[in-house]
Amino acid sequence: MQFFLFFKSSSSSSSTTTTTTTNLVFVFFLLHLFIARALITMPPNVTIPAVIMFGDSIVDTGNNNNLKTITKVNWPPYGKDFPGGIPTGRFSNGKVPSDILVEELGIKELLPAYLDPNLQTEDLETGVNFASGGAGFDPLTSALASAISMSDQLELFKEYLKKLKGVVGDERTSTILANSLHVIVTGSNDIANTYFNNPIRNLHYDISSYADLMVTSASSFVQELYLLGAKRIAVFGVPSLGCLPSERTLAGGGTRECAENYNQAGQLFNTKLSSALSSLTSSLNDPKSRLIYVDIYNPLLNLIQNPKKHGFIVTDKGCCGTGEIEVGELCNKLSKMCPDDSVYLFWDSFHPTERGYKILVNQILQKYINDLV
């Protein structure tokens, strides 16, 4: 971005001074805006050509739009703060972490859904999104939600690689793949929905053995990605699930406190996942590989517990409807909306607002970018 300063010629020194001062103030204002939106600082001589996303509704940018599933949000009020004010299938009022990530890295403004019928060929080189709202590491989770399972997301990724090779050739595809950032964001639906609310799982597993099932699935997914040529892989843990508005309502008692059993389950899974990724890194013995566990549990909990520090007022309810239980179809265009979603951490009872996501993504990049490259 460049700024040009023009000074108006005048015989009057007073006029010249006034004009110069006005121009300088304007330029400083523009510079302030630019700095406020500055991209993440990358290490020297490092580039990330593309971001490839896998996961669930936290990062889905519209893959579910044409599926036969109730887990989709391509209608108002979702997308009310998205460019153009249109619903795109993103589970928020605006952009989601997939978009914010590629924007912060300076790659492009949005990360398109791979199944978007309007996907452009040039987007293949800079990254696409395979995430599907309702998906999970547990295959049962995706089946219950009629979402694209993680194994099917991997099959779509293989299809994508063939298309990319057709556009840029084998050598360039290998280079893009090795240097791109591959991100996996899922697991919340497994614990919050499949385990705690489905007898098929909680009658046959205790939470520790269920976490093992999830971690085994996650490890297999990462290994398959690596074998396909991915080197930089970031796997997100689950957030503080018990403090999400929906879980407060369902399991937090009459006062809607954070549901500690959900939080403890999430922490257990996160610990096991982090350990598994460390072991996998050691077993690969590849100095070029980067398999990183990303902690989202504590950053989100910090926003919930210290809202004023970040400009939030409401963190125990979403903006949509009562804010206590509504997600998806319950957040339709007839629902009552909060007057100002910028002071809400959550958009609906499960998904943060764009503003919340921006803070979280920026914090995560600041913490992990050097580990990933």
Side-chain angles (χ1 to χ4, degrees):
M1 182 179 291
Q2 294 179 308
F3 297 102
F4 297 93
L5 183 59
F6 296 96
F7 296 98
K8 181 181 178 182
S9 298
S10 172
S11 59
S12 169
S13 61
S14 175
S15 175
T16 301
T17 301
T18 300
T19 303
T20 301
T21 301
T22 300
N23 283 326
L24 285 172
V25 169
F26 179 65
V27 169
F28 288 145
F29 172 72
L30 290 177
L31 284 171
H32 174 74
L33 288 179
F34 177 67
I35 292 170
R37 297 181 60 195
L39 302 176
I40 196 77
T41 302
M42 294 286 289
N45 303 317
V46 171
T47 58
I48 297 178
V51 169
I52 309 296
M53 186 68 64
F54 305 90
D56 58 27
S57 60
I58 297 297
V59 289
D60 186 357
T61 52
N63 281 311
N64 278 19
N65 287 353
N66 296 312
L67 296 185
K68 292 182 178 179
T69 174
I70 61 170
T71 314
K72 55 184 174 182
V73 289
N74 52 338
W75 53 71
Y78 287 89
K80 68 179 275 297
D81 299 314
F82 191 79
I86 56 173
T88 60
R90 289 167 169 84
F91 289 73
S92 189
N93 58 309
K95 295 179 181 179
V96 294
S98 313
D99 306 309
I100 300 165
L101 181 59
V102 292
E103 189 173 28
E104 286 276 354
L105 292 174
I107 297 173
K108 52 187 175 183
E109 183 182 4
L110 303 170
L111 188 66
Y114 179 68
L115 297 182
D116 184 344
N118 297 313
L119 182 69
Q120 301 298 304
T121 301
E122 55 265 29
D123 275 318
L124 299 178
E125 295 184 61
T126 52
V128 292
N129 190 345
F130 301 97
S132 173
F137 286 124
D138 181 352
L140 179 60
T141 301
S142 301
L144 291 171
S146 298
I148 304 170
S149 68
M150 297 304 289
S151 60
D152 284 342
Q153 289 182 35
L154 199 61
E155 290 304 310
L156 290 174
F157 176 64
K158 293 175 183 177
E159 178 185 284
Y160 153 79
L161 290 180
K162 292 179 181 179
K163 291 182 179 179
L164 183 59
K165 289 177 181 178
V167 175
V168 301
D170 289 359
E171 184 176 346
R172 175 60 182 158
T173 294
S174 295
T175 300
I176 291 173
L177 197 57
N179 292 287
S180 294
L181 181 57
H182 300 76
V183 185
I184 304 164
V185 183
T186 193
S188 296
N189 295 314
D190 296 315
I191 295 174
N193 299 329
T194 308
Y195 183 76
F196 279 111
N197 293 299
N198 193 299
I200 296 176
R201 286 299 189 235
N202 60 37
L203 290 178
H204 295 87
Y205 295 85
D206 60 20
I207 189 58
S208 181
S209 59
Y210 187 69
D212 289 337
L213 180 152
M214 292 171 62
V215 169
T216 298
S217 175
S219 296
S220 296
F221 190 93
V222 170
Q223 290 179 71
E224 289 196 61
L225 266 185
Y226 176 79
L227 291 174
L228 288 168
K231 297 288 187 179
R232 297 169 174 170
I233 305 174
V235 188
F236 278 60
V238 299
S240 40
L241 295 170
C243 296
L244 302 183
S246 56
E247 309 318 317
R248 287 175 180 265
T249 301
L250 294 171
T255 56
R256 298 184 66 251
E257 299 297 325
C258 291
E260 286 308 314
N261 57 333
Y262 283 68
N263 282 347
Q264 290 167 6
Q267 288 175 307
L268 179 61
F269 165 71
N270 290 342
T271 299
K272 289 174 179 283
L273 176 64
S274 178
S275 177
L277 290 174
S278 294
S279 296
L280 186 55
T281 297
S282 298
S283 67
L284 291 177
N285 193 29
D286 180 355
K288 293 184 178 181
S289 69
R290 300 288 186 273
L291 310 183
I292 304 300
Y293 165 77
V294 177
D295 171 33
I296 188 61
Y297 185 98
N298 289 298
L300 180 62
L301 188 60
N302 180 55
L303 292 187
I304 292 169
Q305 294 177 337
N306 303 285
K308 291 183 181 179
K309 179 180 177 181
H310 304 280
F312 295 111
I313 296 175
V314 183
T315 62
D316 63 343
K317 295 181 179 181
C319 174
C320 168
T322 66
E324 297 183 358
I325 198 66
E326 292 90 345
V327 180
E329 284 192 280
L330 295 178
C331 282
N332 60 45
K333 60 184 178 182
L334 299 178
S335 293
K336 176 184 176 183
M337 302 299 299
C338 69
D340 181 7
D341 58 47
S342 70
V343 298
Y344 277 70
L345 175 58
F346 291 96
W347 166 245
D348 57 24
S349 70
F350 200 86
H351 306 94
T353 56
E354 179 185 286
R355 184 167 176 271
Y357 279 140
K358 284 184 175 180
I359 293 172
L360 291 169
V361 171
N362 184 265
Q363 289 178 353
I364 287 167
L365 279 174
Q366 294 288 353
K367 181 176 179 179
Y368 293 103
I369 190 63
N370 289 316
D371 295 330
L372 285 166
V373 298

